[in-house]
Amino acid sequence: MTERVLDQQSSGTRRAGQGRAERRERRLWALAASAVVTLGYGIVLMVNPRFFYQDDTDGGAVPIWIDVGLALRAGDLPILEPGQWMAGNYAVEGQSSLFNPVQALINVIAPSIDDLSLYAAVVKLVFAVVLATGVYRTALEYGASPPWAAAAGAAMPFTGFTLYYDSATWVTGLMGSAWVAQAWASSVRYSRGRSGPLPAVIFLYLALSVGYVHAAIMAGAVV
């Protein structure tokens, strides 16, 4: 009887050790994917310092970040700004992401930044890493090994449409894709009983509150 108990304890210890080793391996590969994305962004900026500050980012997104950020600093939530283009109807237009807490932080910081081109690149890099790790987590949930999941995650921010459209100009598309990828992984974990519902709910809320219709469609498809 004593030997059986000792064997069970030894087996449990081995399984716990294997679990810790697997989690450590997964974290390391996630860091590797993030490092590759960061390196890739650095290479792009070396070739073209304004690559991530073009078109809609330059003329639309960043000015809205500053305008909303100034309003938030003054204690105001700019639901409607009658003096602005299209009546400044930020809540209905949606893509100002008024009710997204991460975007609110980006907005509050923006007025204090002198180099807005660099700021836009840093913000997009953060979301590229969120996207990469979301794809990585999703691939793991569907049975990919950590190295291959990391390869898929690191590649995603550099696919054609993501790099040359979402990352270069349409930042809300990048944000939506990043949150949806994380929501996908968390939803699979929840549906298979490996996690509670809270992470999936949080990531889905962040995806929807970006205010971009394609993010909402993608979130609906995931659910």
Side-chain angles (χ1 to χ4, degrees), residues 61-213:
V62 172
I64 290 175
W65 295 355
I66 295 171
D67 187 58
V68 175
L70 290 171
L72 292 175
R73 288 184 179 193
D76 180 34
L77 185 63
I79 299 294
L80 184 66
E81 297 292 322
Q84 296 200 12
W85 174 250
M86 298 296 286
N89 202 343
Y90 287 144
V92 172
E93 204 282 333
Q95 293 178 46
S96 56
S97 312
L98 280 184
F99 306 107
N100 185 296
V102 177
Q103 184 63 57
L105 178 62
I106 294 169
N107 295 341
V108 169
I109 294 173
S112 298
I113 304 299
D114 293 326
D115 190 341
L116 293 172
S117 176
L118 178 60
Y119 185 56
V122 171
V123 169
K124 291 179 178 184
L125 170 60
V126 170
F127 280 99
V129 170
V130 173
L131 173 60
T133 53
V135 171
Y136 169 73
R137 293 178 60 226
T138 302
L140 287 177
E141 293 305 317
Y142 285 103
S145 65
W148 282 110
M156 184 63 190
F158 301 103
T159 55
F161 191 87
T162 302
L163 179 63
Y164 287 99
Y165 189 78
D166 285 351
S167 297
T169 67
W170 200 250
V171 63
T172 48
L174 177 64
M175 292 173 175
S177 297
W179 294 131
V180 168
Q182 294 287 347
W184 191 343
S186 295
S187 297
V188 173
R189 287 184 60 81
Y190 171 56
S191 68
R192 294 178 177 176
R194 292 200 286 266
S195 173
L198 189 58
V201 170
I202 290 173
F203 285 126
L204 285 169
Y205 173 78
L206 290 171
L208 292 172
S209 59
V210 166
Y212 185 37
V213 63

Side-chain angles (χ1 to χ4, degrees), residues 21-66:
E22 290 176 1
R23 288 192 294 272
R24 189 182 309 112
E25 181 186 19
R26 291 187 172 200
R27 285 194 293 268
L28 287 173
W29 281 107
L31 288 173
S34 301
V36 170
V37 172
T38 303
L39 177 62
Y41 262 56
I43 293 171
V44 171
L45 287 172
M46 287 174 62
V47 175
N48 181 0
R50 286 180 60 89
F51 182 85
F52 299 107
Y53 194 59
Q54 305 181 53
D55 297 335
D56 289 287
T57 297
D58 183 359
V62 172
I64 290 175
W65 295 355
I66 295 171

